[in-house]
Amino acid sequence: MDLGDQADEAWLLSVQRKLYQWSRTHPEDSYRDLWNWITDIRNLRCAWRKIALNKGRRTAGVDGMTVAGISVAMGMELFLEQLGGGLKRGRYKPSPSRRKLIPKPRQPGKFRPLGIPTVSANCTGPQFGFGMGGDPPSISPTSRSAL
């Protein structure tokens, strides 16, 4: 991890701490600046790095693009700048997930659907893009209903 990556991760951790502290002291209020943090280029870079290390990074969504394909075609920085700009201007339209049926473990002949999102959809998912996989650790349990 280089210094830029470490700075982005440190920034994200500080934002998560601020949000957690704020949510503890204001459990009934909704937070108004969350969108600016989610669309910040540092946050999008953190999301990109998580996606680039993900096991499914080689699988393309409905747009046919993979992490490697985007890196070669336009580069990570330009892709994330365009994505962040589209989000901030309200022009981003998420793509549908690509559906694939995969076999159920220990149940021969049975399948379950798997949704494969595009790279841009993965980078913009607040739970992934803001380091909040699953239950958001940066938000106090008492104020999650205010989001």
Side-chain angles (χ1 to χ4, degrees):
M1 188 179 275
D2 68 11
L3 292 177
D5 294 351
Q6 290 176 351
D8 290 343
E9 296 289 336
W11 172 84
L12 181 58
L13 187 58
S14 74
V15 167
Q16 289 174 330
R17 283 188 186 125
K18 287 176 191 174
L19 182 56
Y20 181 81
Q21 290 166 353
W22 185 89
S23 69
R24 294 287 307 241
T25 57
H26 303 89
E28 299 302 318
D29 296 339
S30 61
Y31 196 79
R32 291 175 182 79
D33 201 34
L34 190 58
W35 185 249
N36 291 330
W37 283 344
I38 289 173
T39 59
D40 189 284
I41 190 70
R42 295 169 289 190
N43 182 48
L44 294 174
R45 279 195 299 255
C46 289
W48 174 273
R49 281 191 292 278
K50 287 180 183 177
I51 293 164
L53 295 173
N54 190 330
K55 192 168 86 173
R57 69 184 172 269
R58 297 182 309 266
T59 306
V62 294
D63 61 357
M65 296 300 291
T66 62
V67 170
I70 291 170
S71 295
V72 169
M74 65 186 338
M76 175 200 70
E77 278 300 319
L78 179 60
F79 173 76
L80 294 178
E81 286 172 12
Q82 289 178 354
L83 180 61
L87 285 165
K88 288 177 183 177
R89 287 188 296 281
R91 294 192 176 133
Y92 173 76
K93 300 284 187 246
S95 302
S97 292
R98 183 167 66 101
R99 273 288 199 228
K100 176 123 174 115
L101 291 176
I102 61 171
K104 285 187 170 184
R106 297 175 300 282
Q107 294 182 8
K110 294 198 175 188
F111 297 88
R112 70 175 182 86
L114 174 69
I116 303 169
T118 61
V119 175
S120 62
N122 253 343
C123 281
T124 57
Q127 72 280 4
F128 200 22
F130 206 61
M132 295 181 179
D135 221 11
S138 57
I139 301 172
S140 164
T142 58
S143 63
R144 289 188 183 145
S145 62
L147 289 177

